[in-house]
């Protein structure tokens, strides 16, 4: 069942054309990634979905036009956007508080999830006391507890070092297998997209169009055995070629997407 | 199912190490030492010059004389310091409330900023020497003209600090809150107001020093009691030692108020300490 559907969505900021007609869809319980070079307009797409910006084209949710933006998506911005003045527990309950859940009840709903997110014992810590990986998990916790129809994740691991990022990707895959969130993930890390997604949309450089849509038929978990890992590697290589070919008419070494440094 | 959280939280579980009490004290002494030395040297040079430089004590009294006279006249000084403190605090409180209200309005309706900021900037170019006697002339010798003058010198820096502070809110936080369904007022309360706190306290530290100067100026222009009028009388009686004693009291007053703002900031922003302690370590 299709939940989110975009038809020919266009966006320009003054003279700058950012999205040149993007059509995509996400089904219920599906994990879909958007893969594209830096500055392509990926975050802009989320700005449209969350209602921060207006666009041309059709945006449908469950078949109806997306006008009541607030209630559909739980959005995790590109930077973790943790509030430094709130303890981790209070950051995690933020979305519920905005929804009008009393603070006490919100805390009771969030607290049991801390262990699952590897944050047990850090409920009363300030964000500044956490490592980068923990901050991302706290931000993710704040996002999923909102229990919205769909998760919008904007490069949740983009700022992490390669080792932490790999660990976080595996962790997120395990979490998704358990919860089956409907999710749209932005990334410029090809490996991340292949590891996590059911489908991948590859964006061109700005103005962004979809240059290809790739199904990832690999069984999960995708890190468990060597044969799956080999298949994933083949898929990754193909996607990287598409990405570099589509984004870069010049020698490809110069404008490689920044997420592929470990490939 | 095992969630691989163990390898992630490797070095994280130790928590911030408690700061040793003794090292904190000795580091505080170490930090205060340069200031104490420079002040001590200044006073020593001044004392020597006043004693052996051939200047009359009615022109430049030695610091020992200033301290001695300050002690002898401590009651009069205290008596005059209290109205100054009252004027400073009352004026500052009024100016803070007005600055908060005004900066919040500007945050909600940015066009107000363009309409009113030129006026505010112009208000800062008014020379206090000229305006203080006028304000006293209009509003008398009571508390009101002092409040007005203190507000005049502190309102602008506080407003600018707050407006900039609101504007410094992380864009992502605003976008995320709106995606959560928060309205403008909610965003202001949950994000913009706390984001402005560091700016607010920076402005507060500066303004509190202006506030004391403003109050003294107002009293200088006309008052029944206060450090300002005390200085004026002492000067007219050829008692520079008492003028300097009153200056010392106002300096002490400013330092205390400054210290109070630092203390309040500590209490109001406990997360800053956590950030500072972690600051040295590399982020993951
Ligand atoms: N509010 C805005 N006003 C004007 N231009 C904007 C605005 N938001 C984004 N842009 C421009 O749109 C382009 C795409 O930005 P966007 O943040 O969507 O890129 P991105 O694909 O998310 O890149 P990255 O991978 O680096 O995060 C950029 O050139 C940016 O400068
Ligand atoms: Mg982006």
């Amino acid at each position: 069942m299709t939940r989110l559907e975009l038809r020919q969505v266009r966006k320009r900021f003054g003279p700058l054309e950012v999205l040149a007609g993007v059509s995509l869809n996400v089904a219920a319980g599906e994990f879909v990634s958007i893969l594209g070079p830096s500055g392509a307009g990926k975050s802009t797409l989320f700005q449209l979905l969350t209602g921060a910006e207006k666009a041309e084209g059709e945006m449908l949710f469950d078949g109806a036009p997306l006008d009541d933006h607030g209630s559909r998506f739980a959005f995790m911005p590109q930077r973790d956007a943790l509030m430094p003045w709130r303890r981790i527990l209070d950051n995690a309950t933020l979305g519920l508080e905005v929804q009008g859940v009393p603070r006490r009840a919100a805390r009771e709903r969030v607290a049991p999830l801390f262990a699952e997110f590897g944050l047990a014992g850090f409920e009363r810590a300030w964000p500044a006391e956490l490592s980068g990986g923990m901050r991302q998990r706290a931000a993710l916790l704040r996002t999923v507890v909102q229990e919205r129809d769909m998760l919008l994740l904007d490069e949740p691991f983009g700022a992490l070092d390669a080792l932490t990022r790999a660990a976080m990707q595996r962790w997120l895959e395990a979490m998704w297998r358990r919860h089956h969130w409907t999710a749209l993930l932005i990334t410029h890390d090809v490996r991340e997209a292949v590891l996590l997604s059911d489908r991948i949309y590859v964006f061109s450089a700005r103005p962004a169009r979809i240059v290809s849509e790739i199904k990832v038929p690999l069984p999960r978990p995708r890190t468990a055995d060597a044969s799956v890992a080999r298949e994933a590697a083949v898929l990754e290589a193909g996607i990287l070629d598409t990405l570099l070919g589509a984004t870069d008419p010049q020698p490809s070494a110069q404008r490689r997407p920044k997420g592929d440094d470990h490939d | 199912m095992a969630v691989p959280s163990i390898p992630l939280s490797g070095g994280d579980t130790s928590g911030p190490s408690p700061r040793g009490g003794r090292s904190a004290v000795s580091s505080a002494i170490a930090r205060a030492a340069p200031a104490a030395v420079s002040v001590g040297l200044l006073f020593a040079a001044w004392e020597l010059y006043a004693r052996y430089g051939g200047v009359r004590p009615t022109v430049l009294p030695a610091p020992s004389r200033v301290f001695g006279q300050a002690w002898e006249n401590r009651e009069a000084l205290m008596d005059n310091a209290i109205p100054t403190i009252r004027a400073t605090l009352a004026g500052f409180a009024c100016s803070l409330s007005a600055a908060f209200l005004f900066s919040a309005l500007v945050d909600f309706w940015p066009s107000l900023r363009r309409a009113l900021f030129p006026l505010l900037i112009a208000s800062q170019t008014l020379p206090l020497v000229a305006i203080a006697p006028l304000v006293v002339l209009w509003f008398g010798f009571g508390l009101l003209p002092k409040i007005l003058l203190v507000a005049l010198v502190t309102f602008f820096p506080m407003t600018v600090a707050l407006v900039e502070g609101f504007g410094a809110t992380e864009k992502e936080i605003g976008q995320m809150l709106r995606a959560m369904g928060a309205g403008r007022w909610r965003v202001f309360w949950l994000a913009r107001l706390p984001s402005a706190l560091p700016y607010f306290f920076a402005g507060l530290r500066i303004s509190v020093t202006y506030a004391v100067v403003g109050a003294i100026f107002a009293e200088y222009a006309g008052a029944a009691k206060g450090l300002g009028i005390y200085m004026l009388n002492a000067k007219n009686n050829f008692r520079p030692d008492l003028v300097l004693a009153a200056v010392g009291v106002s300096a002490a007053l400013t330092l205390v108020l400054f210290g109070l703002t630092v203390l309040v900031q500590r209490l109001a922003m406990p997360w800053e300490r956590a950030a500072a302690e972690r600051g040295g370590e590399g982020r993951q």
Side-chain angles (χ1 to χ4, degrees):
Chain A
M1 186 186 76
T2 302
R3 298 224 78 172
L4 178 69
E5 182 167 13
L6 303 186
R7 291 188 196 143
Q8 287 301 314
V9 169
R10 302 167 176 282
K11 178 69 190 170
R12 43 170 63 248
F13 290 110
L16 187 73
E17 188 179 18
V18 179
L19 298 176
V22 170
S23 304
L24 56 79
N25 59 74
V26 182
E30 195 181 22
F31 198 115
V32 175
S33 289
I34 292 173
L35 194 56
S38 191
K42 306 183 296 297
S43 297
T44 302
L45 188 69
F46 276 10
Q47 284 189 42
L48 305 181
L49 290 175
T50 57
E53 292 285 344
K54 297 263 165 287
E56 299 164 47
E58 266 187 296
M59 300 195 288
L60 305 174
F61 201 93
D62 290 343
L66 191 65
D67 37 26
D68 184 14
H69 293 287
S71 61
R72 296 295 189 184
F73 305 110
F75 166 57
M76 177 169 167
Q78 188 158 356
R79 286 189 281 166
D80 57 45
L82 292 175
M83 295 178 167
W85 55 87
R86 283 181 163 236
R87 296 179 188 276
I88 296 302
L89 183 59
D90 299 324
N91 264 293
T93 57
L94 184 67
L96 297 176
E97 249 176 75
V98 171
Q99 285 172 30
V101 179
R103 177 171 287 204
R104 185 84 164 283
R107 287 184 168 187
E108 275 166 16
R109 253 165 78 182
V110 172
L113 295 167
F114 269 70
E116 200 178 6
F117 278 73
L119 294 166
F122 284 84
E123 290 85 350
R124 312 240 341 122
W126 300 108
E129 292 171 313
L130 266 55
S131 69
M134 296 177 89
R135 288 178 67 106
Q136 294 301 320
R137 273 176 284 152
L140 212 54
L141 174 58
R142 176 195 60 202
T143 312
V144 301
V145 294
Q146 297 172 40
E147 295 187 346
R148 292 286 164 84
D149 297 329
M150 187 171 167
L151 300 181
L152 301 179
L153 310 176
D154 193 349
E155 289 186 39
F157 312 133
L160 302 177
D161 65 274
L163 192 64
T164 311
R165 191 192 314 167
M168 290 291 294
Q169 289 162 356
R170 288 169 182 225
W171 172 82
L172 183 60
E173 200 209 5
M175 291 293 281
W176 183 81
R177 269 187 291 141
R178 193 180 323 173
H179 296 279
H180 277 277
W181 299 306
T182 307
L184 187 56
L185 169 89
I186 287 176
T187 180
H188 40 216
D189 182 339
V190 179
R191 178 166 295 175
E192 179 169 299
V194 171
L195 176 67
L196 294 170
S197 321
D198 298 311
R199 268 182 314 125
I200 301 171
Y201 289 103
V202 179
F203 272 31
S204 69
R206 195 182 60 231
R209 284 164 292 101
I210 289 172
V211 288
S212 75
E213 180 193 339
I214 297 150
K215 284 208 165 59
V216 186
L218 304 178
R220 293 174 190 265
R222 292 174 177 165
T223 46
D225 75 85
S227 67
V228 176
R230 262 196 305 281
E231 278 182 66
V234 172
L235 215 52
E236 278 168 32
I239 294 171
L240 200 56
D241 280 346
T242 320
L243 204 53
L244 294 174
T247 57
D248 209 335
Q250 296 133 29
S252 57
Q254 281 170 355
R255 273 171 50 196
R256 281 157 61 97
K258 33 178 167 157
D260 65 347
D261 46 0
H262 55 276
D263 286 285
Chain B
M1 182 193 310
V3 173
S5 64
I6 301 114
L8 294 178
S9 48
D12 297 330
T13 41
S14 56
S17 59
R19 299 217 265 188
R22 182 186 290 167
S23 76
V25 169
S26 63
S27 82
I29 291 173
R31 257 181 300 159
V37 167
S38 65
V39 171
L41 281 177
L42 181 71
F43 276 127
W46 176 6
E47 180 81 37
L48 287 175
Y49 180 69
R51 280 197 187 190
Y52 307 109
V55 280
R56 276 174 298 150
T58 45
V59 176
L60 181 70
S64 59
R65 185 184 162 82
V66 172
F67 283 117
Q69 285 303 308
W71 182 249
E72 238 162 68
N73 292 284
R74 61 187 179 278
E75 261 172 42
L77 280 170
M78 275 316 279
D79 207 30
N80 283 286
I82 285 163
T84 307
I85 294 173
R86 194 185 301 140
T88 304
L89 293 182
F92 205 41
C94 291
S95 134
L96 275 189
S97 322
F100 177 74
L101 209 70
F102 184 70
S103 58
L105 286 175
V106 166
D107 197 50
F108 276 86
W109 292 283
S111 54
L112 269 183
R113 183 195 179 117
R114 257 161 286 140
L116 295 176
F117 260 45
L119 221 79
L120 280 180
I121 294 167
S123 81
Q124 293 307 292
T125 63
L126 298 175
L128 215 49
V129 206
I131 210 77
L134 283 179
V135 174
V136 171
L137 184 68
W138 296 331
F139 298 102
F141 288 164
L143 196 57
L144 184 62
K146 278 122 210 156
I147 290 180
L148 286 176
L149 281 167
V150 170
L152 179 73
V153 292
T154 56
F155 176 72
F156 180 72
M158 284 318 298
T159 304
V160 170
L162 282 168
V163 167
E164 296 214 338
F166 295 145
T169 309
E170 227 182 286
K171 239 179 65 192
E172 278 89 352
I173 290 184
Q175 197 194 342
M176 176 188 72
L177 278 171
R178 277 189 298 276
M180 286 172 172
R184 279 191 81 183
W185 174 246
R186 239 22 221 299
V187 173
F188 180 80
W189 181 251
L190 289 172
R192 299 183 78 79
L193 199 55
S195 295
L197 277 179
Y199 292 78
F200 170 77
F201 281 110
L204 201 63
R205 284 199 297 272
I206 296 172
S207 310
V208 87
T209 63
Y210 291 178
V212 178
V213 174
I216 287 175
F217 240 112
E219 290 166 351
Y220 208 85
K225 259 184 189 176
L227 286 176
I229 198 74
Y230 186 87
M231 287 177 196
L232 184 65
N233 289 335
K235 190 206 84 178
N236 290 343
N237 293 332
F238 304 102
R239 292 295 301 274
D241 49 345
L242 289 182
V243 174
L244 286 172
V247 167
V249 172
S250 82
L253 178 60
T254 308
L255 282 174
V256 168
L257 288 176
F258 190 90
L260 274 179
T261 62
V262 173
L263 199 71
V264 172
Q265 179 169 17
R266 283 252 175 102
L267 294 176
M269 304 177 62
W271 59 91
E272 269 210 328
R273 287 274 288 283
E277 267 166 28
R278 211 198 141 76
E281 303 167 39
R283 269 284 171 71
Q284 246 190 308

